[in-house]
Amino acid sequence: MMTQVPASEPDFTPLDDVFVRKHMGVPDIDVTGWTLAVEGLVERPLRLDMAAVLALGTSRLPAFHECFGSPLAPDVPTRAVAQVEWAGVPLAALLERAVPGAAARHVWFEGADSGSFQGQDGVTYVKDLPLDVARDDVFLAHRMNGWPLRAEHGFPLRAVVPRMFGTNSVKWLTRIVLADRRADNVFTTRFYTRVLPGDSVPSPVREVDVSSKWFVPGKVAAGKVDLGGRAWSTTEVVRVDVSVDGGPWEPASLAAPGSGPTWQRFSVTRELAPGPHVIRCRARDRAGRVQPLAGARNAVHEAGVEAVGEAEDRAEA
């Protein structure tokens, strides 16, 4: 029987270890000349500099952050995930000032990164979300883990969409446009789409899949070993099973979910003889989704661990 343990304080990924993804390079932005426009189907168009953004106040949002992976290989696992404490302001605060028009149904987010991508020139990175979703979920961040955003992470301002893949969290944000339709952009119509189970037509890549990942060193001391990882989904993860060296699936201890969109820790203790071992983990969420064994981007995570015996330990000391 799986053991659930109390939720613990969020463990944040060091900034140097947070993955970096860019499609058309990192734009060089001088914050003294940067502004954010909120326009389109709004009653009061806005143009804010960083001082105006900061004057809105600062909230904090601890959340896991997962990369979908290459839009050219949507079924290939990347395992790129981090947990960050974002600081900034909810998008709702800006929309309240701008006042969306009655015809507004979608929100477009445009970054400063532009150039060529997959043979197409003059591309600007744009993503969109339904207005109701964007109003409730989107966070505009200017700090990570207590520090100003680094250039590679979206300085000076980026969108963050909890429980959605990172492709929706537009970096180097310059424009927010309210519209009556979806954005017509290669990153909304051609790339970052996939056919979900049970569907016949592609959908935008948005909500994350149920997933889990080992966070273990490649080498451990032989004997009784504590193994741990993280699991996450759009909803609560209710079970994580583990398998060692092809053995049966057995339940791990799983931390209760936190108060926000953060990942959940899981752990097991196993006796490992000296030599190589293969460990696997498989998560199930409250919606009944289970990680597939293979053939999908969120397939079961398999990691190798080398258990070092006492003699080898002394030789390396």
Side-chain angles (χ1 to χ4, degrees):
M1 180 177 180
M2 187 190 68
T3 301
Q4 189 173 70
V5 298
S8 55
E9 290 298 316
D11 49 326
F12 299 118
T13 306
L15 291 183
D16 288 343
D17 295 334
V18 176
F19 61 86
V20 174
R21 297 291 186 269
K22 51 189 181 295
H23 298 84
M24 296 164 290
V26 176
D28 184 12
I29 298 176
D30 181 355
V31 72
T32 62
W34 170 89
T35 59
L36 173 68
V38 183
E39 54 195 20
L41 298 179
V42 296
E43 294 183 13
R44 303 190 192 109
L46 305 176
R47 186 168 292 276
L48 301 88
D49 59 14
M50 183 51 71
V53 172
L54 295 175
L56 295 170
T58 299
S59 303
R60 286 176 171 75
L61 174 69
F64 72 82
H65 184 55
E66 184 183 6
C67 174
F68 177 75
S70 170
L72 308 179
D75 294 327
V76 177
T78 63
R79 316 292 184 192
V81 64
Q83 184 147 275
V84 175
E85 184 185 60
W86 305 100
V89 60
L91 173 65
L94 274 70
L95 296 183
E96 183 177 351
R97 291 188 173 203
V99 187
R105 296 290 183 272
H106 300 268
V107 184
W108 306 355
F109 301 91
E110 182 176 322
D113 46 334
S114 62
S116 299
F117 187 77
Q118 289 298 303
Q120 186 162 339
D121 299 328
V123 176
T124 299
Y125 194 80
V126 175
K127 299 297 291 186
D128 61 14
L129 289 170
L131 172 57
D132 291 345
V133 173
R135 192 200 311 266
D136 290 344
D137 295 344
V138 175
F139 191 78
L140 305 179
H142 48 73
R143 299 179 75 85
M144 292 175 66
N145 293 356
W147 295 91
L149 285 177
R150 296 177 177 179
E152 64 268 26
H153 290 306
F155 174 86
L157 190 74
R158 67 173 294 163
V160 175
V161 193
R163 300 186 180 92
M164 288 194 185
F165 287 109
T167 178
N168 299 283
S169 295
V170 176
K171 299 186 285 292
W172 311 294
L173 197 60
T174 58
R175 292 176 72 225
I176 297 174
V177 180
L178 278 80
D180 59 1
R181 64 193 187 282
R182 290 199 63 203
D184 184 12
N185 182 277
V186 295
F187 291 109
T188 61
T189 60
R190 179 178 170 192
F191 299 114
Y192 293 113
T193 64
R194 60 174 174 170
V195 178
L196 295 171
D199 291 347
S200 59
V201 296
S203 299
V205 167
R206 287 179 177 160
E207 291 81 7
V208 302
D209 304 311
V210 61
S211 198
S212 60
K213 179 180 179 178
W214 289 109
F215 281 37
V216 293
K219 185 173 288 189
V220 298
K224 190 170 288 188
V225 178
D226 295 325
L227 303 169
R230 307 292 184 269
W232 62 94
S233 183
T234 55
T235 185
E236 178 187 359
V237 174
V238 296
R239 184 183 180 99
V240 175
D241 290 306
V242 301
S243 170
V244 178
D245 295 332
W249 290 101
E250 299 177 292
S253 295
L254 176 66
S259 58
T262 54
W263 57 27
Q264 294 167 244
R265 302 183 190 190
F266 65 89
S267 62
V268 294
T269 301
R270 290 290 184 270
E271 190 80 25
L272 296 184
H277 298 272
V278 175
I279 55 176
R280 296 190 296 166
C281 55
R282 191 181 196 191
R284 176 190 296 271
D285 67 13
R286 187 162 293 284
R289 301 187 303 171
V290 183
Q291 283 182 266
L293 293 176
R297 64 157 311 284
N298 65 324
V300 163
H301 184 211
E302 181 177 293
V305 175
E306 178 79 17
V308 180
E310 186 175 342
E312 186 176 344
D313 239 355
R314 283 199 301 267
E316 291 186 355

